[in-house]
Amino acid sequence: MKTTLLTGFLGSGKTTALRCLMEEMTATERIGVIVSDLSELEVDGELIRNGDLVSEQDGTLASFTGGSLEGTHGESFRQTLRDMRDRGFDHMLIEASGSADPTAILEVLSSSPDTNQGVVIAMVDARALELDYESGITLLSDQVAQSPAHRLLLRQLKTADVLALSKTDLVAVPALEEILRNLALINRDASLTVCTYGKLDHRLLNEHRRKFIRPSTSDDTPLTPEACDIGTTVLREAGPVHPQRFYELYRDRLGLGIFRTKGFLWFASRPADVLLWNQAGAAMGLELLGTWRAAAVADSRLLPEERQHLESLLQGAHPIFGDRNCELTVIGTERDRNIFCPEMQACFCTPDEVAQWQQGETFPDPWAKNLRSV
C-alpha cells in the first residue's frame, strides 16, 4: 500500500489540497484517508467527511482529534494503517496536524510492514512566509533556532520531497520569486510547485521518494506541540457572534502567538448561514457551507412533508437558536491564548443583544457580502 504524507505548518492549506486530491484520485484508485487535528474540535475531518468521497462506515476514513498521530494516537494510528492495508487500498493519504513533526510520523510509517512510502508533500503558506519570515530569509538564519515553532516549520520544509506553495494569489510576483529561491536553498532536493486554491497536480504523487533521513538541526529532539508551546483552546457558544466586534478583534488585537483559529459559527446579521471560519497568521476568511435547519424550516417554499422532516430533526434543539451554534478552536502559545480567548468570548452576543436579535434588530456587519466560487 502506497502512502503519501501531507504536512505543513498550521493553516497552510493541507485540508483544501487533500480534498482536491481525493476528487481526482477516487476515479481511478481505491484510497484511504487519515486526518489528524491537534484540537479536540474536529474541523478538518468534518470537511473531508462532508465531501462524501470517504467515510468511517466503509473504512475509508479515520479522523484523529485531540492529539498527534505519532504521540497521543500512536498505537491507534498503527492499527489503522494495518486495517487499511488489509482492506487492499491502492493508496493511503495522510494529513498530519500543522503542529506535527513529520520525521516522527515517517518513523512510524517506516516501521509498518507492507507500507510503501510515497512522497512527503509540505504545503507552504506564501503569504505567511512573506510577512512572518521575510520571504524565507529568516529561516535561513541561525537565529531561527531560538524559536521551537520556527524549528518545526523548518523541519517540515527539509523533510519534504515536494514543496507546494499555497495562497500565491495574495503575494506579489517579486516576493513570490524570492520565496521560491529561498525554498530552493532550504531544501535543494525537493520539487517546487505552486498550488492555487488547493489544486495540487496528483501526478506529483509519483515523484521519487528520498530515503528517509532525519534532517540535521542544532537540536535533534522531537518537536512535539508541547515542546513548541503550541496548544489549543476550544470555545463553544449556542448564541451568535457579533460581526462588528469579531471584525475589530481580528483587525486590531490578534497576537503573533495565535497561529491558527478555525471552526463553525454564525453571525447575528446572517442567521441563516452556516459559516466556516479560517485564520492562519494574517490571512483569514469566511466560507459559506450551508443553511441552518432552524432557518430552512421557515422557508415558505417547503412542502409539508419537508417541513415536518426538518421539525423532527430539530426536536430537542436549543429553544431560541435551534441547531445554530458556534464552535471555534484557537491554536497558539499559552500566553497568547490566555489573552485572546477572553476577548473572543466577548465577541458573542450578550443576552440584551440576543433579545434585540429576536426582535429583528439589525447588526453592523463589515464582512464581505459577495460570494466567490473557487
Side-chain angles (χ1 to χ4, degrees):
M1 178 181 64
K2 187 174 183 179
T3 61
T4 295
L5 177 61
L6 198 61
T7 184
F9 203 63
L10 297 154
S12 56
K14 296 184 294 297
T15 302
T16 304
L18 176 60
R19 290 162 72 181
C20 291
L21 280 174
M22 289 166 52
E23 290 174 1
E24 288 194 50
M25 295 175 65
T26 49
T28 58
E29 294 185 78
R30 294 188 66 238
I31 65 169
V33 175
I34 296 177
V35 180
S36 174
D37 202 318
L38 177 66
S39 172
E40 66 183 63
L41 175 62
E42 184 182 43
V43 176
D44 297 343
E46 187 66 21
L47 294 175
I48 296 299
R49 188 179 299 111
N50 285 346
D52 295 327
L53 295 174
V54 292
S55 70
E56 286 94 347
Q57 287 71 27
D58 60 13
T60 54
L61 171 65
S63 177
F64 294 93
T65 60
S68 59
L69 290 178
E70 70 280 12
T72 313
H73 301 298
E75 186 49 47
S76 297
F77 177 41
R78 290 179 175 84
Q79 184 59 52
T80 300
L81 288 172
R82 291 191 289 268
D83 291 344
M84 290 192 169
R85 178 201 63 201
D86 293 343
R87 290 190 178 95
F89 291 123
D90 301 313
H91 208 129
M92 171 73 62
L93 299 176
I94 302 171
E95 180 193 342
S97 163
S99 60
D101 181 346
T103 60
I105 297 177
L106 286 171
E107 286 173 347
V108 174
L109 294 176
S110 64
S111 65
S112 301
D114 300 322
T115 298
N116 175 21
Q117 287 188 39
V119 295
V120 176
I121 301 174
M123 301 297 297
V124 187
D125 184 332
R127 180 69 167 164
L129 213 64
E130 178 192 24
L131 296 178
D132 300 335
Y133 300 97
E134 298 182 72
S135 297
I137 293 174
T138 306
L139 295 172
L140 291 166
S141 168
D142 290 339
Q143 293 179 354
V144 75
Q146 298 174 7
S147 167
H150 292 183
R151 292 207 308 275
L152 174 62
L153 171 58
L154 195 57
R155 187 170 291 182
Q156 291 171 344
L157 297 178
K158 287 189 173 185
T159 305
D161 304 297
V162 177
L163 297 176
L165 205 56
S166 65
K167 306 179 187 178
T168 53
D169 56 313
L170 303 177
V171 178
V173 172
L176 185 59
E177 291 174 345
E178 184 178 8
I179 288 170
L180 289 169
R181 286 195 296 269
N182 290 328
L183 287 176
L185 293 174
I186 290 170
N187 188 339
R188 299 177 184 275
D189 298 317
S191 301
L192 293 174
T193 187
V194 171
C195 177
T196 305
Y197 301 122
K199 294 176 181 175
L200 193 65
D201 189 340
H202 71 282
R203 289 174 295 184
L204 289 168
L205 305 187
N206 297 322
E207 290 277 334
H208 177 64
R209 169 65 187 151
R210 291 176 290 142
K211 182 180 179 182
F212 168 54
I213 301 174
R214 180 184 290 276
S216 59
T217 63
S218 58
D219 181 2
D220 202 35
T221 59
L223 293 175
T224 63
E226 295 78 13
C228 297
D229 189 20
I230 299 176
T232 67
T233 302
V234 175
L235 302 175
R236 291 184 171 91
E237 187 78 24
V241 169
H242 191 292
Q244 183 69 42
R245 289 202 295 273
F246 189 70
Y247 179 85
E248 292 172 356
L249 172 65
Y250 278 90
R251 183 190 64 187
D252 301 332
R253 300 188 298 282
L254 181 64
L256 292 176
I258 301 299
F259 304 127
R260 183 90 161 99
T261 60
K262 58 182 178 178
F264 308 99
L265 50 82
W266 66 291
F267 286 162
S269 54
R270 311 184 194 192
D273 296 344
V274 181
L275 299 173
L276 171 66
W277 169 252
N278 265 304
Q279 170 266 323
M284 55 194 75
L286 288 168
E287 182 178 342
L288 177 63
L289 291 183
T291 302
W292 297 106
R293 290 168 180 162
V297 75
D299 191 331
S300 60
R301 296 169 296 179
L302 290 177
L303 297 173
E305 55 269 28
E306 292 174 328
R307 180 172 290 102
Q308 184 179 11
H309 176 64
L310 283 175
E311 289 173 346
S312 68
L313 294 175
L314 287 168
Q315 287 184 1
H318 193 282
I320 298 175
F321 308 122
D323 63 325
R324 302 180 184 96
N325 68 95
C326 299
E327 293 185 303
L328 195 72
T329 186
V330 180
I331 306 175
T333 66
E334 182 177 11
R335 174 185 176 276
D336 282 60
R337 283 184 290 120
N338 287 341
I339 296 171
F340 182 81
C341 288
E343 294 193 335
M344 178 61 231
Q345 193 70 47
C347 290
F348 294 111
C349 288
T350 66
D352 287 344
E353 288 168 336
V354 169
Q356 294 169 9
W357 171 76
Q358 289 180 279
Q359 294 166 9
E361 294 285 339
T362 59
F363 289 78
D365 185 342
W367 296 92
K369 307 298 190 298
N370 296 328
L371 294 176
R372 179 174 68 171
S373 179
V374 296

